[in-house]
Amino acid sequence: MSANRTDFRTLLADLRRPQLLIRAARLGLVEYRRDRDLKRLIDGQPAPDRSVPRLLSEEERMEATRQRGDAGYSVARHIEVMIALMAEVSLLPRNPPDLRLV
């Protein structure tokens, strides 16, 4: 993904998901432990600027599965991914440096 760090916050804020899913994820933030939860979801513990695009991709896949009504959809896993996504975005710097090449 070519978005910069502030774009991740915008993307997260613009997600339109069921209110119950968002509320459950927000409540779960209290229990989030990066060392335990992130490696289980995306196989490792990359820096937040690398984990967020991977989590966004996984969340988009899960949302598509949910919308299709696929029997393989797991609401518990979707909540776990949303918790990690919210937590990882919060770890990104508020004002990232301009990384354009000169």
Side-chain angles (χ1 to χ4, degrees), residues 23-34 36-37 83 86-87:
R23 198 172 317 154
R26 284 186 183 139
L27 290 171
L29 280 170
V30 176
E31 299 294 322
Y32 180 74
R33 279 192 22 222
R34 190 171 202 273
R36 175 193 66 199
D37 301 328
I83 291 168
M86 290 175 179

Side-chain angles (χ1 to χ4, degrees), residues 75-101:
V75 68
R77 173 119 175 132
H78 200 166
I79 292 168
E80 289 175 335
V81 170
M82 288 298 297
I83 291 168
L85 183 56
M86 290 175 179
E88 292 296 303
V89 165
S90 74
L91 296 175
L92 293 171
R94 286 274 175 203
N95 296 312
D98 189 0
L99 300 177
R100 286 180 288 184
L101 296 175

Side-chain angles (χ1 to χ4, degrees), residues 7-90:
D7 289 338
F8 293 138
R9 284 191 174 80
T10 301
L11 286 171
L12 186 59
D14 289 345
L15 285 181
R16 298 293 170 237
R17 301 297 183 258
Q19 187 60 38
L20 189 57
L21 179 69
I22 300 300
R23 198 172 317 154
R26 284 186 183 139
L27 290 171
L29 280 170
V30 176
E31 299 294 322
Y32 180 74
R33 279 192 22 222
R34 190 171 202 273
D35 60 329
R36 175 193 66 199
D37 301 328
L38 188 59
K39 67 181 175 185
R40 191 168 34 90
L41 294 171
I42 60 170
D43 191 34
Q45 286 184 299
D49 63 337
R50 301 187 116 211
S51 65
V52 170
R54 291 171 62 185
L55 288 164
L56 276 171
S57 177
E58 176 67 9
E59 194 284 327
E60 288 170 355
R61 187 189 64 75
M62 297 193 81
E63 178 63 10
T65 302
R66 182 188 73 79
Q67 288 183 352
R68 282 194 311 271
D70 191 305
Y73 174 72
S74 168
V75 68
R77 173 119 175 132
H78 200 166
I79 292 168
E80 289 175 335
V81 170
M82 288 298 297
I83 291 168
L85 183 56
M86 290 175 179
E88 292 296 303
V89 165
S90 74

